[in-house]
Amino acid sequence: MENHIAYEKVRNRECDFIVEYRFFSGEEGGRKTGNPIQGYRSDFMYSGDENLKKLWMIWPEFLDNENNIILDKTIRVPTSGKAKMWILNETLYELHRERIKIGLKGFFMEGPHKVAECEVIQIVNLSLK
């Protein structure tokens, strides 16, 4: 088994926020190759920004049913569940602080394609509160 190294350990801090997500099926325009594995590095787009086509480097880290980080990189993540979200460019916290709120909707993006929808359920990083 290839293990994922938790971003908290790599980045030496907590995640920024937590979402509930759902990957779209192929019929809905989602991924044709099935769900990704842990370590998937999609971009993030805020709902309502579709016309702007503005993407952000905010990566998901998927949790299992007990809210533990999925470490096995040989299995696909669930179609729906929870994910910790990591803002990669910490200099953009002020911009994201204005936007990220409980209930905010967004998308996991692969290029111009929405592959999953998500909703913010918890803000973890105090810089965003």
Side-chain angles (χ1 to χ4, degrees):
M1 170 176 83
E2 184 181 355
N3 280 335
H4 169 74
I5 299 171
Y7 293 153
E8 188 170 304
K9 185 173 185 176
V10 172
R11 301 191 68 77
N12 200 31
R13 64 177 179 85
E14 289 186 298
C15 72
D16 296 300
F17 58 101
I18 298 174
V19 298
E20 287 184 343
Y21 71 89
R22 181 185 71 86
F23 278 97
F24 298 130
S25 67
E27 294 78 31
E28 294 174 290
R31 304 181 91 238
K32 306 294 187 230
T33 57
N35 294 351
I37 60 170
Q38 186 70 279
Y40 171 70
R41 295 177 175 179
S42 62
D43 286 318
F44 180 84
M45 182 171 66
Y46 290 100
S47 179
D49 283 0
E50 289 86 348
N51 291 336
L52 300 173
K53 300 192 183 342
K54 185 72 174 173
L55 303 180
W56 303 97
M57 288 188 344
I58 302 176
W59 293 347
E61 185 175 45
F62 300 96
L63 304 176
D64 65 17
N65 290 337
E66 280 102 41
N67 293 324
N68 297 309
I69 296 167
I70 296 171
L71 296 176
D72 186 346
K73 290 178 73 170
T74 65
I75 59 170
R76 294 189 181 274
V77 300
T79 298
S80 61
K82 293 180 184 175
K84 293 183 173 189
M85 300 297 287
W86 295 84
I87 297 170
L88 275 284
N89 187 342
E90 295 174 22
T91 64
L92 296 175
Y93 275 158
E94 190 169 329
L95 180 148
H96 293 297
R97 183 183 316 123
E98 299 299 316
R99 300 197 72 184
I100 295 173
K101 309 284 185 235
I102 302 293
L104 173 94
K105 296 189 184 327
F107 302 97
F108 297 170
M109 304 292 294
E110 290 183 14
H113 305 288
K114 296 178 189 173
V115 296
E117 60 189 357
C118 64
E119 180 176 336
V120 176
I121 60 168
Q122 182 181 349
I123 296 172
V124 178
N125 186 330
L126 293 176
S127 297
L128 296 175
K129 290 184 180 179

